[in-house]
Amino acid sequence: MDTFYTDERSVQILISLMKAHGIKKVVASPGTTNISFIASIQQDSFFEIYSSVDERSAAYIACGLAAESGEAVALSCTGATASRNYMSGLTEAYYRKLPVLAITSTQHSGRIGQNMPQVIDRTTSLNDTVNMSVQIPTIHDAEDEWACEVKLNSALLELNHRGGGPVHINLATVYSMNFTVKELPPARVIRRISCNNLFPELKCKKVGIFVGAHKKWSEELIAVVDRFCEKYNGVVFCDHTSNYKGKYGVNASLMCSQEQYDAPCRTLDVMIHLGDISGSAINMHPREVWRVNPDGVIRDTFRKLSYIFELEEKDFFEAYLKMTTEESKVSSYVNECREECKKLLRKVPELPFSNAWVAQKSISHLPEESVLHLGILNSLRVWDYFEVPNSVQVYSNTGGFGIDGGVSSLIGASLVDKDKIYFGVVGDLAFFYDMNVIGNRHVSNNIRLIVVNNGRGTEFRNYNHNAAYFGEEADKYMAAAGHFGNQSSKLVKHYVEDLGFEYLCATNKNEYLKVMDHFFTPDKLEKPLLLEVFTDSQEESNAIRIMNNLETTTKGAVKNIMKEVIGEKGFRTLKRLINP
């Protein structure tokens, strides 16, 4: 009987990635749960397989093989207590840093604890048995497949990471007996590059550097990135929290938020990913992504990751500058991107009175060398639509991405330099959640805080949010409307004035424009200052809709109509059917 590879996609991905990462030695123990894996590899001449009935012995055989050959060695066992016998051998591998890969096959994780035969809990590993343990469920859709590829690449790379050591993969199976797949479908390979490895060539027409939230840049790092862009036709895609202040920055937030228009410059060859979590929906279309971070951890934010460079950012760019003979020149790509952004900004009409309108009128008035803290999520989104002055540093709590500490983070930052002015923009729920901090005795006169009070979590009333389906019914529990005085004109005023703040308010555009110059004055004030801006949720939503639809193409308009007819979920389903 001719047998080939299993049709179980998770097993196919594991086999494909083992081959790509050069893991060919396998010590197999008998069982039923691991048949999909073993039957697939035993007919593949790439693999060098050894049999061991005793799993305890198998683990030590793997230790000996790995130590002598210098190669990674895989183990495969079935369910029940088989994997428990790996413990002593894996402990040996852990302390000797031997690259032993324990692949334990398992039934569906939902069966754990349900008195089903041969099902044990392998979701937790002992501290000194493996460097990494991943759970690989069966695959049902594209999301599952992406997650499986990322986890398995991470696990296989960890075998030789920072000295190496054992790794555990808990591989679920459905016991498929379909072994008719003659050619192993490919899986995306992610490779880790350190300073000792050969760097991949970077020969392409367009290179983008995407920067998520980032600490303040050194002058040296800015200079080397600028030189890199000159030689590689590069551009630095930013939001405000990227804090890049070099010559090649493009704020791509507005361009990428367009619902009926996909700018051609969003398509590029390689995108280099720096920084941490971004709060902006800067979704480019790269052919592949290279991440650069000294932690060396796989972060597949854009689902196109091919390399993770375990390097300091400056070292990465200096290495590629040494690898090219190109002459320095002005990047044509950055000019293309800037023209797209300028075109969109020229189309911005008069916005309704909203957080977005406040951002539009105010952002250029931020004093030189000041600092801006933006609340999650609406304030960060709408202020990102517009250009911030080059000397202003911007921060937001994008790490945990919650509303609960934005004002406290602003106050904490303000303690560092009393000569700087620290601005903050938060919504009413975020303010009331964190209002106790402005009573702190360390609060100084270098604080300027805008509270956009629309009486609810306006995010949940935006036209493009899932809760918009429920209309005003969303106010009851999803948007949490009506709390904290229900847009009281006195509550915040009395509270902050009693705490020593100067208080200003605005309920329309004219009132805001009258107080704006005072709020943004570069001069020191006697007291910290809070400006409460009362807006309406419908106007907030209308402003975002306008900003997200500044440009239209026929294809984009048709897509938008389809979304309105069949809904966002239906549109995504249709898209998957057309492009499986």
Side-chain angles (χ1 to χ4, degrees):
M1 180 180 67
D2 290 333
T3 60
F4 302 99
Y5 297 103
T6 178
D7 65 344
E8 292 194 42
R9 184 60 185 136
S10 56
V11 180
Q12 292 175 355
I13 292 172
L14 173 59
I15 296 169
S16 178
L17 292 179
M18 285 177 68
K19 295 178 75 168
H21 288 282
I23 303 169
K24 62 183 179 181
K25 291 179 167 59
V26 180
V27 182
S29 295
T32 303
T33 318
N34 58 338
I35 283 178
S36 293
F37 175 68
I38 293 299
S40 295
I41 66 170
Q42 74 178 19
Q43 56 81 42
D44 188 326
S45 61
F46 172 85
F47 292 97
E48 179 184 314
I49 308 173
Y50 303 90
S51 177
S52 176
V53 175
D54 184 335
E55 287 84 10
R56 178 177 175 275
S57 179
Y60 279 107
I61 290 172
C63 287
L65 265 172
E68 183 65 19
S69 68
E71 299 176 26
V73 179
L75 296 165
S76 173
C77 73
T78 188
T81 57
S83 62
R84 295 293 193 251
N85 295 304
Y86 283 160
M87 292 298 181
S88 54
L90 290 177
T91 305
E92 177 73 15
Y94 180 88
Y95 285 108
R96 290 175 60 192
K97 296 187 179 298
L98 297 173
V100 174
L101 176 64
I103 304 168
T104 61
S105 293
T106 186
Q107 299 177 44
H108 190 286
S109 62
R111 299 180 182 181
I112 296 172
Q114 302 308 313
N115 286 354
M116 295 187 177
Q118 295 193 325
V119 177
I120 64 173
D121 189 348
R122 295 180 179 138
T123 57
T124 303
S125 300
L126 294 177
N127 288 338
D128 57 354
T129 53
V130 293
N131 289 341
M132 177 182 285
S133 177
V134 296
Q135 304 293 316
I136 305 298
T138 52
I139 290 174
H140 301 284
D141 55 28
E143 185 89 358
D144 289 345
E145 181 161 342
W146 165 74
C148 178
E149 285 183 339
V150 171
K151 285 183 180 180
L152 288 176
N153 272 291
S154 298
L156 300 184
L157 286 173
E158 197 64 22
L159 287 164
N160 294 294
H161 189 213
R162 297 179 181 175
V167 167
H168 171 226
I169 294 173
N170 199 36
L171 183 67
T173 183
V174 294
Y175 297 97
S176 172
M177 290 304 293
N178 183 343
F179 292 95
T180 61
V181 180
K182 293 185 178 181
E183 291 190 17
L184 187 64
R188 179 164 54 101
V189 182
I190 302 173
R191 301 192 185 279
R192 182 182 284 114
I193 305 294
S194 67
C195 58
N196 297 321
N197 296 123
L198 183 66
F199 283 28
E201 286 188 321
L202 183 56
K203 290 185 177 180
C204 50
K205 295 178 180 179
K206 293 180 179 179
V207 178
I209 302 170
F210 172 79
V211 187
H214 199 286
K215 297 173 184 175
K216 187 174 181 178
W217 293 54
S218 68
E219 293 298 324
E220 293 80 9
L221 180 56
I222 292 173
V224 74
V225 167
D226 286 352
R227 291 201 305 274
F228 175 90
C229 290
E230 290 170 3
K231 290 182 177 290
Y232 285 95
N233 193 29
V235 57
V236 183
F237 296 112
C238 308
D239 68 3
H240 291 333
T241 65
S242 304
N243 285 314
Y244 166 76
K245 306 300 179 182
K247 296 185 291 185
Y248 289 86
V250 170
N251 181 352
S253 301
L254 184 58
M255 178 174 68
C256 292
S257 70
Q258 297 307 299
E259 296 176 352
Q260 302 181 63
Y261 174 66
D262 191 357
C265 62
R266 290 175 66 185
T267 300
L268 63 156
D269 298 303
V270 173
M271 188 165 75
I272 298 164
H273 182 197
L274 309 181
D276 300 310
I277 299 172
S278 170
S280 296
I282 300 182
N283 297 317
M284 308 302 290
H285 308 313
R287 181 170 54 84
E288 60 177 316
V289 173
W290 298 4
R291 176 155 173 80
V292 181
N293 196 283
D295 66 13
V297 177
I298 289 177
R299 314 280 188 197
D300 193 22
T301 309
F302 304 97
R303 306 192 179 196
K304 293 289 183 67
L305 188 66
S306 54
Y307 292 102
I308 168 68
F309 291 81
E310 190 170 355
L311 298 166
E312 294 292 340
E313 293 163 350
K314 182 169 172 285
D315 294 338
F316 169 85
F317 291 108
E318 285 180 340
Y320 275 94
L321 285 173
K322 292 176 182 176
M323 291 169 62
T324 182
T325 58
E326 290 289 325
E327 295 294 325
S328 295
K329 55 185 178 296
V330 177
S331 167
S332 61
Y333 188 28
V334 74
N335 290 333
E336 179 188 352
C337 294
R338 283 176 177 164
E339 283 304 312
E340 285 284 353
C341 294
K342 288 176 183 177
K343 178 180 72 174
L344 291 170
L345 284 171
R346 285 194 294 266
K347 292 192 173 189
V348 178
E350 180 70 13
L351 297 173
F353 186 56
S354 59
N355 200 343
W357 180 88
V358 169
Q360 181 188 25
K361 298 300 180 183
S362 307
I363 201 163
S364 63
H365 293 271
L366 287 163
E368 293 292 313
E369 305 297 335
S370 60
V371 179
L372 175 63
H373 280 242
L374 296 170
I376 297 294
L377 174 62
N378 196 50
S379 296
L380 177 60
R381 175 197 295 116
V382 300
W383 283 68
D384 260 330
Y385 288 143
F386 308 100
E387 295 291 339
V388 71
N390 201 51
S391 67
V392 176
Q393 298 287 322
V394 185
Y395 301 95
S396 180
N397 284 356
T398 58
F401 225 89
I403 69 168
D404 44 334
V407 183
S408 291
S409 292
L410 168 68
I411 299 302
S414 74
L415 303 177
V416 174
D417 190 342
K418 299 294 183 181
D419 293 325
K420 279 186 180 179
I421 304 174
Y422 290 80
F423 292 87
V425 184
V426 297
D428 52 294
L429 291 193
F431 171 75
F432 286 114
Y433 207 116
D434 201 18
M435 65 188 293
N436 64 311
V437 73
I438 67 171
N440 190 290
R441 61 186 172 88
H442 297 293
V443 173
S444 179
N445 63 346
N446 62 344
I447 288 290
R448 314 269 178 91
L449 179 61
I450 294 177
V451 176
V452 182
N453 190 342
N454 39 66
R456 57 185 48 77
T458 196
E459 177 70 20
F460 305 97
R461 293 301 305 275
N462 286 340
Y463 76 97
N464 53 357
H465 195 280
N466 290 345
Y469 172 82
F470 301 94
E472 292 187 3
E473 287 296 305
D475 275 351
K476 291 181 180 178
Y477 307 109
M478 302 170 202
H483 294 300
F484 309 113
N486 196 23
Q487 290 189 292
S488 165
S489 61
K490 298 178 180 179
L491 177 61
V492 175
K493 172 180 168 62
H494 290 317
Y495 178 68
V496 301
E497 285 184 338
D498 287 349
L499 291 173
F501 276 69
E502 179 183 356
Y503 175 84
L504 300 171
C505 76
T507 61
N508 56 53
K509 292 180 178 181
N510 287 333
E511 289 179 1
Y512 185 85
L513 293 174
K514 287 179 182 178
V515 300
M516 188 176 74
D517 287 344
H518 178 60
F519 185 85
F520 289 101
T521 178
D523 300 328
K524 283 190 174 181
L525 301 176
E526 291 185 7
K527 299 177 178 180
L529 175 56
L530 186 144
L531 168 56
E532 189 172 18
V533 181
F534 292 94
T535 68
D536 176 76
S537 280
Q538 186 59 54
E539 296 299 295
E540 293 281 2
S541 178
N542 291 342
I544 293 172
R545 185 192 291 270
I546 290 169
M547 294 301 293
N548 289 354
N549 292 277
L550 296 172
E551 183 68 278
T552 306
T553 61
T554 302
K555 180 180 178 181
V558 170
K559 185 173 81 171
N560 222 36
I561 292 170
M562 289 178 64
K563 282 184 179 180
E564 290 182 4
V565 172
I566 64 177
E568 181 68 36
K569 184 176 180 181
F571 178 78
R572 288 197 299 266
T573 302
L574 180 62
K575 187 177 179 182
R576 283 197 298 270
L577 291 174
I578 297 172
N579 300 302

